[in-house]
Amino acid sequence: MMLVTGKEILDKAHKEGYAVGAFNVNNMEILQAVIAAAEEEKAPVIIQTSEGAIKYAGIDYLSTLVRLAAEKATVPVALHLDHGTTFETIIGCIRNGWTSVMIDGSHHPLEENIAVTNEVIKIAHACGVSVEAELGRLGGVEDNISVDEKDARLTHPDEAVKFVKETGVDSLAIAIGTAHGKYKGEPKLDFERLTTIKNLLNIPIVLHGASGVPEDAIQKAVSLGVNKINIDTDVRVAFTEGVKSVIVNKPEEYDPRKICGPAKDEMKKVVKAKMKLFGCSGKA
Ligand code: G3H
Ligand code: 13P
Ligand code: ZN
């Protein structure tokens, strides 16, 4: 199949009430593990690359690898830029075949976030590429922070309405208490805020920092309208555990295929479990 747009995958998820996994990919092994999982689960999938991934592997390598993976796949695959911050990277991705881009202007004040998002949308939409934006600051919401402080970080429903009205963005990443990377304590999600925002916006909602979030919280977030769930850390950990198991149990091994093979199996298991949890298994 040809690569499909992020919008095509997410609009269906929004309409039918499930979430699609968006997995960060930095090399061939991670990509193959994610695609194999999607095939076995008959799930649509979003392959996403950060600016760091592009720096590590090269925009041409990633573009060629993911396009090939999509063409060979029997399930819909979109190629998405995760946390795009510069105009140059975003245009580079559009020129190299990405079918979806994120412009992360969440660190800017509202008006500036709207302005940079609109600059990207104008070009991306003219090229048939979907756009995700972010409003609010990701980061754990610990019990000891004040209500005001919490409110300042998490996405404000009125601002979200203004943002979507003034940009026409295809999907919106919101801050409801998740954080990137490994959690120290258990993350607490603001489900009331999610419900309010979803009802007001009625567009696909994106959850970042979903690794390590308890399964029941993920299920609840999906039932309340999250349609794209970003996973990086849990797959990184699976890769590393797979590599470690070989190094520890067979220290004399030096064939990279025998070291990366078990890592691929570990990653595939994790990705399949996420797809089942998100409700996208069988939705291809
Ligand atoms: O949200 C960030 C992703 O986990 C990507 O991380 O910039 O280290 O590739 P990275
Ligand atoms: P995690 O690494 O916490 O899974 O976050 C992934 C993410 O949000 C990528 O944008
Ligand atoms: Zn993220």
Side-chain angles (χ1 to χ4, degrees):
M1 249 190 237
M2 290 251 296
L3 277 167
V4 302
T5 63
K7 184 173 166 60
E8 189 176 325
I9 287 181
L10 293 181
D11 281 355
K12 182 172 182 288
H14 168 64
K15 211 159 69 195
E16 297 179 18
Y18 60 89
V20 175
F23 301 94
N24 285 74
V25 159
N26 298 278
N27 63 18
M28 185 189 73
E29 280 77 12
I30 308 174
L31 174 64
Q32 287 179 334
V34 175
I35 295 289
E39 289 282 1
E40 286 180 24
E41 290 301 316
K42 300 196 177 3
V45 67
I46 298 171
I47 300 294
Q48 57 187 14
T49 62
S50 67
E51 288 178 342
I54 291 170
K55 200 167 162 204
Y56 172 77
I59 198 164
D60 45 0
Y61 271 79
L62 289 174
S63 153
T64 303
L65 277 174
V66 182
R67 197 177 335 115
L68 176 67
E71 278 166 12
K72 286 172 65 122
T74 60
V75 296
V77 179
L79 174 55
H80 174 75
L81 170 67
D82 188 30
H83 294 283
T85 55
T86 73
F87 204 61
E88 287 68 28
T89 322
I90 290 169
I91 299 301
C93 285
I94 294 173
R95 284 174 58 91
N96 279 277
W98 268 246
T99 53
S100 177
V101 292
M102 174 185 189
I103 163 69
D104 183 356
S106 60
H107 47 287
H108 292 307
L110 180 63
E111 294 297 341
E112 210 175 323
N113 191 354
I114 290 174
V116 294
T117 301
N118 273 332
E119 241 174 69
V120 168
I121 286 181
K122 191 170 178 194
I123 293 166
H125 281 180
C127 301
V129 170
S130 321
V131 179
E132 171 186 332
E134 178 164 327
L135 191 60
R137 306 296 292 271
L138 236 63
V141 186
E142 304 83 21
D143 284 336
N144 58 354
I145 73 164
S146 70
V147 176
D148 283 355
E149 210 178 322
K150 181 176 154 188
D151 212 48
R153 277 201 234 157
L154 300 185
T155 309
H156 199 286
D158 296 340
E159 289 191 1
V161 170
K162 178 179 161 72
F163 189 91
V164 171
K165 201 166 145 219
E166 293 183 17
T167 60
V169 75
D170 299 304
S171 63
L172 186 68
I174 60 171
I176 53 166
T178 56
H180 288 117
K182 285 194 178 186
Y183 289 96
K184 288 197 189 83
E186 187 171 302
K188 293 211 169 51
L189 272 57
D190 189 338
F191 294 113
E192 214 179 300
R193 190 177 296 264
L194 167 59
T195 308
T196 309
I197 294 173
K198 182 72 179 189
N199 289 338
L200 286 168
L201 301 188
N202 200 30
I203 65 166
I205 297 294
V206 182
L207 188 67
H208 283 243
S211 290
V213 176
E215 290 191 358
D216 57 341
I218 292 288
Q219 267 166 341
K220 189 159 180 190
V222 174
S223 76
L224 295 175
V226 164
N227 305 111
K228 173 175 180 272
I229 302 186
N230 288 8
I231 298 284
D232 189 359
T233 301
D234 282 347
V235 177
R236 289 181 179 193
V237 170
F239 175 90
T240 308
E241 290 303 320
V243 169
K244 269 192 211 159
S245 72
V246 181
I247 306 280
V248 169
N249 297 321
K250 229 180 152 204
E252 70 284 4
E253 185 58 69
Y254 60 85
D255 181 342
R257 295 168 297 188
K258 303 229 167 83
I259 295 169
C260 289
K264 266 205 247 183
D265 295 340
E266 288 306 310
M267 292 188 284
K268 190 174 86 174
K269 266 188 242 164
V270 167
V271 172
K272 284 184 70 167
K274 297 289 180 195
M275 287 169 165
K276 287 193 173 86
L277 180 65
F278 301 166
C280 59
S281 292
K283 299 291 185 185

